[in-house]
Amino acid sequence: MRWSQLFIPTLRDIPSEAEAASHQLLLRAGYIRQLAAGIYSYLFLAKRSLLKIERIIREEMDLIGAQEFHLPELHPAEVWQESGRWKMMGSDMFRLQDRWGRDLCLGMTEEEVMTTIARGELRSYKQLPQLWYQIQTKFRDEPRPKSGLMRVRRFTMKDSYSFDIDEKGLEASYRKHYNAYCRILSRSGLDYLSVEAHSGAMGGKKSHEFVLPSDAGEDVVVTCDACDYLANLEKAESTPQVIENDASTKANPLEEFETPGQKTIAEVAAFGGLPASSHIKSLAMVISEETESKAVLVLLRGDHQLSEAKLSVLVSSETVRPAHPEEIQKWFGAEVGYIGPVGISQVEIIADKALEGRSGLVAGANKNGWHLRNVTPERDFKAHFEDLREVVAGDGCPHCGQPLALKKCIEVGHIFQLGRKYSESMGLRVLDEDGKERAPVMGSYGIGLERILTGAIEQNHDEAGMMLPAAISPFEVVIVPVNFKNDDQREAAEMIYERCLKSGLDVLLDDRPERAGVKFKDAELIGIPYRVTIGKKVAEGLVELSDRSTRLSTDVTLEEAVVSIREKVQAAPLADF
RNA sequence: CGGGGCGUAGCGCAGUUUGGUAGCGCGCUUGCUUCGGGAGCAAGAGGUCCGGAGUUCAAAUCUCCGCGCCCCGACCA
């Protein structure tokens, strides 16, 4: 296409609202414009890039036998009420009413709709497995949209759903998706990881997350260089740095001591002279069930942090929150900062494993202004010991013991083994070989298109702009005649442009009456991977071919140009399959 | 939901403290010169100063009430 006729509104200055590199570049390069918080218009370049991502995804889904649907994004409340998620989704869901006052919502995901279709039509195990997918707009009322397309309220997702008669079938469908996701991300030119994850509100057991390592990410993944252990921080386990107990403290009796105004572990540690790791951190938490809520006292080593995700899995409740000050006062008779496990009987106590076998610890005395020393778990209080702590960098790998590292990542895909949650609650049944009714086992598999683009930019950019992988760049090559008014240059540019088109390359001709510098800057900003520069040397039959990411350029003859570009463009993406 | 910041031309900003009727850079239009790394000169166009109410002879500026956007935390398939 010809640049002079396109709408590519590049900006010299960085819009002040943008912080993340991808956000700044998407705006500056004229890919997107904001309409409202977390709601963006995708202009020509973004749409083109997203179409390429979509095509890759579609090809890979079709390859595993998945069938594409187009589903409503406006859903009646009933189907969400049946699955029980109308309530559960809370204010993350956009809700509205029609003229008759009936409740509707904008789709966040399609389990309900897919299951509704399935239960009306699937009758026999012979029709299974089925793999259905769609690539459509999703809505989610994020409490805090941020970083451009990273976390938005309206986005595009490919989500697929599998229906199998048994777990073995599900395992196969899951495997297919796992492999397809690997191929999608490799073909898109991304550096990615797949990690075991916490399945959260989706229900079900097995789940993998596909993430792109990037400092701009919001997810944290725990990695071990020595043995390839990989897990989401929410789920990761580790062996904490060991603290040697002072054996002589074992027999020491409990002793109260006064700690006026010292509430935090750091304050008490400084005041009492023992390190934070010799303290017990006592957290009063409230677990809310549908009908009632109950309190638990969570204990951690003073220098450790609670993983709320692990706690909520442990108590199998979605809503776990810190207790309010009044509740703490009621249950413990003391303020936050002075509570502890000793003498507490009405509240269940769950302690992190790092406290097992310790002695001589400091804990709150359940009396304002006082703490206890020489606290010894088991002797002074009873608790269940569980893994509750959040891994920190340097902890030992649970497999090999080597130090773990934490990596920030962008979550792009998530696959789940749902089980029978939706088929059971929504009445999807088929007959099995024995003529008995059975609820099929389902899986759900999502991947975010904008996140792929955002992640690609975060992983591939420099001061000058984006450096998109050819497979997802809006154009594969840009032709820049230094001076379009020069006849020789213009003719050479037109010729190469025509040949590129004929050979099937996605080519952009910069035919604008701009100065060379402006064209170079723009080409670099929008991130086209290859550039053909046509300047004075055209008189000798030479043009310059340059690579956006390596910044290397070589002179090639007019004849060679198109062939060389084709080779470069085709080299990368499919290599490893 | 807690904490912080911002809102003046398409973009980046000054002007607000101390009230006097809006300015700079980039971009845009026209002309001339220039032409391989965001050109120069000249002449122009472009504004409900986020909105409403109030104080005042006079409000971008002061007061009150809203709205929007960004960042940190909480939250989050």
Side-chain angles (χ1 to χ4, degrees):
Chain A
M1 301 183 84
R2 291 169 179 271
W3 199 317
S4 66
Q5 288 155 32
L6 300 176
F7 180 59
I8 303 176
T10 58
L11 301 172
R12 292 196 185 194
D13 297 315
I14 301 170
S16 60
E17 73 259 22
E19 192 107 332
S22 61
H23 189 194
Q24 295 183 349
L25 290 172
L26 284 164
L27 288 168
R28 278 193 61 209
Y31 276 58
I32 61 171
R33 286 297 182 261
Q34 185 177 44
L35 185 61
I39 302 178
Y40 289 86
S41 301
Y42 306 156
L43 310 185
F44 177 66
L45 292 181
K47 181 60 186 171
R48 219 175 149 84
S49 178
L50 289 167
L51 277 170
K52 294 200 176 179
I53 293 169
E54 189 176 324
R55 190 188 306 154
I56 292 172
I57 294 173
R58 181 170 288 121
E59 284 172 10
E60 294 300 333
M61 292 315 294
D62 291 354
L63 216 58
I64 61 169
Q67 307 153 71
E68 184 170 9
F69 288 10
H70 189 99
L71 301 176
E73 31 273 300
L74 196 55
H75 303 173
E78 286 77 20
V79 296
W80 287 78
Q81 283 158 352
E82 277 186 69
S83 72
R85 295 207 298 176
W86 179 258
K87 273 197 189 134
M88 206 176 87
M89 287 305 183
S91 32
D92 276 359
M93 186 145 85
F94 278 108
R95 295 156 203 266
L96 65 160
Q97 291 193 329
D98 68 11
R99 62 172 71 202
W100 310 109
R102 289 184 289 235
D103 288 317
L104 300 163
C105 67
L106 298 180
M108 307 172 67
T109 172
E110 304 285 337
E111 279 81 1
E112 282 78 1
V113 176
M114 287 286 192
T115 308
T116 301
I117 295 167
R119 73 175 168 193
E121 313 293 336
L122 296 178
R123 297 277 177 257
S124 158
Y125 74 98
K126 289 180 189 165
Q127 293 171 292
L128 301 184
Q130 289 291 329
L131 286 184
W132 298 345
Y133 78 101
Q134 52 136 23
I135 303 174
Q136 279 171 242
T137 305
K138 293 291 183 303
F139 298 88
R140 183 164 168 174
D141 197 358
E142 276 291 339
R144 183 147 108 76
K146 59 174 286 199
S147 306
L149 296 188
M150 191 99 73
R151 184 196 275 277
V152 288
R153 297 197 291 173
R154 194 213 74 145
F155 56 99
T156 319
M157 181 163 88
K158 185 291 297 178
D159 46 329
S160 37
Y161 303 87
S162 63
F163 300 88
D164 284 280
I165 192 67
D166 56 20
E167 271 74 11
K168 217 176 110 199
L170 171 61
E171 193 60 49
S173 296
Y174 190 81
R175 203 70 227 162
K176 283 182 183 174
H177 276 89
Y178 186 94
N179 293 335
Y181 276 34
C182 291
R183 290 180 54 96
I184 289 165
L185 296 173
S186 303
R187 285 184 61 186
S188 300
L190 297 168
D191 173 20
Y192 71 94
L193 298 171
S194 69
V195 306
E196 283 181 50
H198 168 69
S199 51
M202 296 299 296
K205 37 186 175 142
K206 195 165 171 185
S207 143
H208 279 88
E209 218 175 64
F210 289 83
V211 300
L212 311 179
S214 158
D215 284 336
E218 306 176 299
D219 245 32
V220 180
V221 163
V222 175
T223 63
C224 173
D225 288 341
C227 77
D228 297 336
Y229 176 73
L230 262 184
N232 189 299
L233 179 63
E234 291 181 337
K235 208 186 168 178
E237 295 178 15
S238 69
T239 51
Q241 290 102 327
V242 179
I243 307 290
E244 291 300 325
N245 263 324
D246 181 354
S248 65
T249 62
K250 282 268 189 217
N252 290 352
L254 273 180
E255 188 180 304
E256 283 193 345
F257 65 110
E258 205 166 352
T259 49
Q262 317 292 312
K263 292 182 151 193
T264 65
I265 297 279
E267 285 164 0
V268 180
F271 184 81
L274 281 170
S277 56
S278 291
H279 288 245
I280 295 177
K281 184 181 283 188
S282 305
L283 303 170
M285 304 294 291
V286 175
I287 300 160
S288 307
E289 299 297 342
E290 300 230 336
T291 45
E292 54 181 328
S293 12
K294 66 167 187 170
V296 288
L297 180 64
V298 174
L299 305 180
L300 292 149
R301 202 169 87 186
D303 56 333
H304 290 165
Q305 292 290 321
L306 170 67
S307 162
E308 286 196 31
K310 288 182 183 177
L311 179 62
S312 76
V313 168
L314 189 68
V315 300
S316 43
S317 164
E318 278 309 317
T319 43
V320 173
R321 63 165 172 86
H324 301 309
E326 318 81 70
E327 293 169 327
I328 291 176
Q329 187 66 45
K330 191 176 80 193
W331 295 321
F332 299 93
E335 290 173 34
V336 181
Y338 299 109
I339 65 172
V342 179
I344 296 299
S345 54
Q346 332 75 306
V347 179
E348 186 190 356
I349 301 174
I350 307 176
D352 182 64
K353 284 180 174 162
L355 292 173
E356 207 165 6
R358 297 289 308 279
S359 63
L361 303 170
V362 173
N366 294 320
K367 185 159 99 179
N368 284 347
W370 290 80
H371 278 76
L372 292 168
R373 64 166 66 99
N374 298 323
V375 178
T376 299
E378 307 286 16
R379 183 191 74 182
D380 301 322
F381 63 89
K382 295 285 172 235
H384 308 289
F385 290 93
E386 302 286 352
D387 175 35
L388 286 173
R389 55 185 291 271
E390 190 159 88
V391 173
V392 294
D395 281 355
C397 170
H399 293 171
C400 73
Q402 293 301 301
L404 293 169
L406 302 189
K407 252 185 214 167
K408 283 174 116 182
C409 293
I410 300 167
E411 179 183 355
V412 286
H414 207 151
I415 60 178
F416 301 89
Q417 294 197 352
L418 289 176
R420 299 190 168 80
K421 175 179 162 148
Y422 296 91
S423 46
E424 262 165 14
S425 64
M426 299 186 69
L428 164 61
R429 301 286 186 277
V430 300
L431 294 182
D432 67 11
E433 279 175 283
D434 303 324
K436 283 199 197 117
E437 277 205 338
R438 284 172 70 171
V441 197
M442 293 173 57
S444 104
Y445 318 88
I447 191 165
L449 306 226
E450 289 87 345
R451 289 242 176 127
I452 290 180
L453 176 59
T454 310
I457 298 167
E458 290 292 346
Q459 287 186 349
N460 306 284
H461 70 272
D462 61 14
E463 326 71 55
M466 303 181 190
M467 303 190 292
L468 290 175
I472 63 170
S473 169
F475 290 96
E476 290 164 335
V477 55
V478 55
I479 297 168
V480 182
V482 165
N483 183 351
F484 203 63
K485 276 184 259 177
N486 175 292
D487 290 342
D488 290 345
Q489 291 184 23
R490 191 183 61 246
E491 280 162 23
E494 293 283 3
M495 187 197 81
I496 294 178
Y497 176 61
E498 287 302 327
R499 288 193 187 174
C500 283
L501 285 177
K502 279 206 187 98
S503 74
L505 281 165
D506 230 331
V507 57
L508 176 61
L509 172 62
D510 194 347
D511 58 344
R512 296 175 300 167
E514 291 289 349
R515 297 165 61 86
V518 173
K519 297 197 215 183
F520 294 154
K521 293 285 186 200
D522 274 345
E524 282 155 13
L525 180 59
I526 70 175
I528 310 302
Y530 302 105
R531 185 178 88 201
V532 179
T533 311
I534 297 162
K536 289 200 181 91
K537 275 182 282 186
V538 76
E540 307 154 39
L542 293 175
V543 296
E544 192 178 291
L545 180 53
S546 40
D547 183 311
R548 174 66 182 86
S549 56
T550 62
R551 295 265 187 183
L552 297 175
S553 45
T554 48
D555 284 340
V556 295
T557 65
L558 278 168
E559 305 305 319
E560 290 166 342
V562 178
V563 179
S564 316
I565 299 162
R566 283 206 57 144
E567 281 169 6
K568 284 172 184 290
V569 167
Q570 287 171 351
L574 281 164
D576 39 347
F577 290 104

